[in-house]
Amino acid sequence: MASSKTITVEVDDVRYTDDVEPRLLLVQYLRERLGKTGTLVGCDTTNCGACTVHLDGVSVKSCTMLAVQADGHKVTTIEGMAQDGKLAPLQEAFHQCHALQCGFCTPGMIMQSASLLKENPHPTEAEIRDGLEGNLCRCTGYQNIVAAVKSVADGTVYDDSGVSTTAGETETAGVS
Amino acid sequence: MTTVSEHAPNPAAGDPSRPIGFGRIQRKEDPRFVRGRGNYVDDIVLPGMLHGAILRAPVAHARLLSIDASEALAHPKVVAVITGKDLEALNLAWAPTLSADVQAVLVTDKVRFQGQEVAFVVAEDRYAARDALELINVDYEFLPPVIDARKALDDGAPVIRDDLPGRTDNHIFDWEAGDAAETDAIFASADVVVAQELVYPRVHPAPMETCGAVADYDTVDGRLTLYETTQAPHAHRTLYAMVAGIPEHKIRVVSPDIGGGFGNKVGIYPGYILAVVGSIVTGKPVKWVEDRSENLMSTSFARDYIMQGEIAATKEGRILALRTNVLADHGAFNATAQPTKNPAGFFHIFTGSYDLAAAHCKVTGVYTNKAPGGVAYACSFRVTEAVYLVERMVDILARKLEMDPAELRLKNFIKPEQFPYANKTGWVYDSGNYEPAMRLSMEMAGYDELRREQKEKRERGELMGIGISFFTETVGAGPRKHFDIVGLGMADGAELRIHPTGKAVVRISVQSQGQGHETTFAQIVAEELGIPPEDIDVVHGDTDQTPFGLGTYGSRSTPVSGGAVAMVSRKVRDKARFIAAAMLETRAEDLEWEKGRWFVKGDPSAGKTISEIALGAHGTLTLPDGVDGNLDAEVTYDPPNLTFPFGAYICVVDIDPGTGHVKVRRFIAVDDCGTRINPMIIEGQVHGGLTDGVGMALMEMISFDEDGNCLSGSFMDYLIPTAMEVPDWETGFTVTPSPHHPIGAKGIGESATVGSPPAVVNAIVDALAPYGVTHMDMPCTPARVWEAMQGRTRPPV
């Protein structure tokens, strides 16, 4: 691999120095070299956003960046979101609001949502939908994802009164 | 294994409308997924693992003249190149499909669709494997393709399947249901008859995770471990044993976390077989993961039904009969996944929610030079097509009769007292109470107010449409007497083990792809035994660890496997009664059950909880004759019938008259799936399915040019909805339990995908009524809507 380049990247608060081929995509560097398989691949045309990570705090689709372009930068993946074993508010909110099913879009969706909230801490529903347009989901129909992001923006994520169990509840017919 | 076919009433059952097992609880699956700690196929890394890549055909129809792989083999990182010739030597060049046809694993004679598998490269890494594909030289002799299904049976049409002995045309099958003569007689004398051709275009389930496998063949003990994106791991294991000749006890199929299936991951794809062959040939694990374009171009498509619909009624609006002829485009190999006796799936549920005097359908399947498939994308075995047909035809009839479409439906519903209802094509609907669901939907929508608003808008030249779909699903295949997949009866097993400390593990034969089984199946056990859901682990997807069963598709998990889990819990509960009796030094008949506990009748203070009984069962207690130790059970559940959930959907659209752009403003979905296990999860299933439906109605289509080039082989052209294209869904429900199901629950997962497309199209056609539009085919893209408004024929998509 005469053409390989040495890169130094900080990923989820750990510094890595590796020789990589220039053509190696960042997503495959993360997945195959570093074992960070939380970041996923859902397409080959940069449409789906399953591979979204943060580069110096800004969301990027890591399938559309070369690993060498991350040299000297700081990358955060879904695996770097929880701190000291405690879930980030968005992770907690996705759980509470049932904003995931198969979980395949979830890492990218959470990373994009975090970026969105950093840019616009109090988005409207329309702004949330617009901000997530680059992330496809096949399971949820988006509604609960929007609710999860909204609950973080509103600071209600740790108040689960609206979304959690009411054991033994009786429902006959109604609007849910 | 015991086969349980009796349906003991649930002694804990009270109000049937109460959710099961603590209801709206959050999911056990989420903690790993939100941390990026799921374990999908491409996350799997084994020591020495190699990577496979498939060379695919560039054209739709061509004779294969030669393959030269010498340059590829010279690549320093390439370990093997496998061609059709190599597979012929192993008798693996062709594999059986789920429809009693065969499918080429690698091309040996000729290419039959663009994107078909031609050669397989195994290399040290995935980049090298892709590089090597470029180094393989293939010579083809191009042949004229058959792309338009309408021309497939023309005289002189190229014969696609000349591999089949004696085959001289592209006809696959004719299948019919109902009474043709009786139906024709009613049509001949009916006041009103309306006919319409309806095309349900080819679409694709496009799960976010594509298909893939890691095959690990141990050359020493001849054991194959196969990690796969499969919705039916046990059925796959049996088929691999039959095809590859590896004994079944030496095959372990593992379906790990699956990033969505939607019917795409039911069948066996050449890539899986190639990974296995690659591992056998190299003696090392081989991973194969397709990219998105390969997924869209070569794996199971959905729909592609051209339906000639006809409906007959009295002038007062009493619907009398339905009939239809369908031309079904199955692509180059008939690999459609459905029960053996049902080549058109359950299409004969097309009589819908209406009490008809007669009905008849005939379906003709044909080969074309396209990828195989047909049954996928939450279709419940062609129920999507059936519901689209009847709900469009009823709407077209309403227009003809100048009746409100809601009123016409209400007038013709099967009445609650008619259930169980035998329709005219052989189904017995289990239960239904349609009018309250329809009324609730109309009330949620503010139906009368919407019609007033529409009238005002029409006067101002604005285009607003209201579309209704009222559907009856049929899910939960099925009674093994009638339903099998390649000879395997469609029953499901369940095993339940209560540990000495009262914690439990339940092993199921179905396989989640996001539907929340790890949570909801624990809830069923929790309901039956009073063990908290968090103390119950649900094991699925590993054929070494789970009982045999047919897998998850056709919304069959709750009807069949859910029934199995309820029954196995009851079996454990019955056993616990004897053990409790021994512990309490009384007779089992003297004990009474309350949730989680057997107690002495008349003395509620004297009792034993399941947890205490579990410890006793594993202890030194002297047990009565015939009662062995431990607290475990297993069952195979053979359902007596399918379940028939239903729903009332209303869609409101606004159309920009300048551009033809359709905006779905509101969507109201009332579903009735009987007893609701976890309402939160049901709502999520419905939201997802509605999004599929809107996608199909507005933007999704796998299309081809006349040479057979697939024009929508990536997410650049195969459009699926983003968060921007869908509204906030409005969901409601009624509860009409299935009388034959152990907990009264019906399937739900596919209802919204089945029910929503006709609601959207009905709304669009309703909006375009001022232009005289009476029908338009999906997808209703801005270009097509605009063309329809011009009174022109539709443009190609």
Side-chain angles (χ1 to χ4, degrees), chain B residues 4 8 10 494 496 506 521 524-525 528-529 558 560-573 635 637 741-744:
Chain B
V4 177
N10 177 0
L496 177 60
V506 61
F521 281 83
I524 297 173
V525 178
E528 297 293 332
L529 291 175
T558 294
V560 193
S561 187
V565 168
M567 297 310 279
V568 82
S569 303
R570 288 171 198 179
K571 210 167 160 184
V572 163
R573 192 169 66 209
V635 302
Y637 181 68
H741 189 269
I743 59 171

Side-chain angles (χ1 to χ4, degrees), chain A residues 127-139:
Chain A
E127 287 169 339
I128 294 171
R129 287 180 178 273
D130 183 54
L132 297 178
E133 198 199 15
N135 291 70
L136 299 176
C137 170
R138 288 300 262 168
C139 295

Side-chain angles (χ1 to χ4, degrees), chain A residues 91 101-102 129 142-143 171 176, chain B residues 17 27 34 40 721 723 729:
Chain A
Q91 291 173 305
Q101 291 179 30
C102 81
R129 287 180 178 273
Y142 302 104
Q143 182 158 328
E171 299 183 326
S176 54
Chain B
S17 61
R27 298 203 321 162
V34 299
Y40 304 96
W729 310 108

